[in-house]
Amino acid sequence: MFRKHPWLAQLAPLTRPLLLPHLMTHAEWAPAALDGHGLDPVTMMDVHVLLYGYVQELAAGLEQEAQAAATTRVSEEGWMEQQAAALNSLVASGRYPVLSRVTASLVDGYELRFDELFESGLGPLLDGFATVIEGGRPGPAALTTPVRR
């Protein structure tokens, strides 16, 4: 849907949703898919918002790139070429050892492929939601896993 209507990612923010019939259809669809799994309303809405946010953010990236290319008349590749000296300087500074190692190992560089990124990230995201849904664990804590450092 966002590929067909890239402007939509800017139109339907999470914090100030537009209460329009077609957007409400989606807002009904997501919790309805979770209904009957023993989840409390907060967890149902959390899953809905997290999934929508994931999709919307990647779609917003597509729209932002299209706008930047139109405004500057410089493609993403051209912009990255223009930034190469600055990036090389930052990476060579020694302040970013992991980034330096990772970028040095990218023989052909890194291409931001939104469609592939979307698909590769969606599976683990849905798998995580499946754990919450199948466990029927109530409350927002069901979506919170402490990060160990």
Side-chain angles (χ1 to χ4, degrees), residues 61-145:
L62 290 170
E63 175 64 5
Q64 290 164 353
E65 175 52 32
Q67 288 177 358
T71 301
T72 64
R73 295 191 173 132
V74 176
S75 69
E76 180 184 357
E77 291 172 0
W79 187 85
M80 289 303 293
E81 289 172 10
Q82 292 174 359
Q83 303 304 312
L87 177 62
N88 290 337
S89 176
L90 288 168
V91 169
S93 73
R95 293 179 61 195
Y96 313 101
V98 176
L99 180 62
S100 178
R101 179 175 41 81
V102 170
T103 56
S105 69
L106 295 169
V107 178
D108 295 324
Y110 177 76
E111 181 182 343
L112 187 56
R113 300 171 320 273
F114 283 100
D115 292 330
E116 290 88 353
L117 188 59
F118 174 78
E119 289 188 27
S120 69
L122 186 60
L125 182 64
L126 293 176
D127 289 346
F129 290 155
T131 302
V132 172
I133 294 165
E134 290 167 4
R137 293 180 291 173
L143 296 177
T144 306
T145 304

Side-chain angles (χ1 to χ4, degrees), residues 8-57:
L8 188 57
Q10 304 297 328
L11 182 67
L14 284 172
T15 58
R16 297 178 185 218
L18 297 175
L19 304 177
L20 302 171
H22 291 300
L23 290 176
M24 295 307 292
T25 298
H26 178 268
E28 170 67 12
W29 170 82
L34 300 169
D35 198 25
H37 290 279
L39 301 174
D40 67 273
V42 171
T43 301
M44 290 173 69
M45 289 304 295
D46 284 349
V47 169
H48 169 53
V49 168
L50 288 167
L51 182 58
Y52 182 80
Y54 173 78
V55 172
Q56 182 194 33
E57 183 55 33

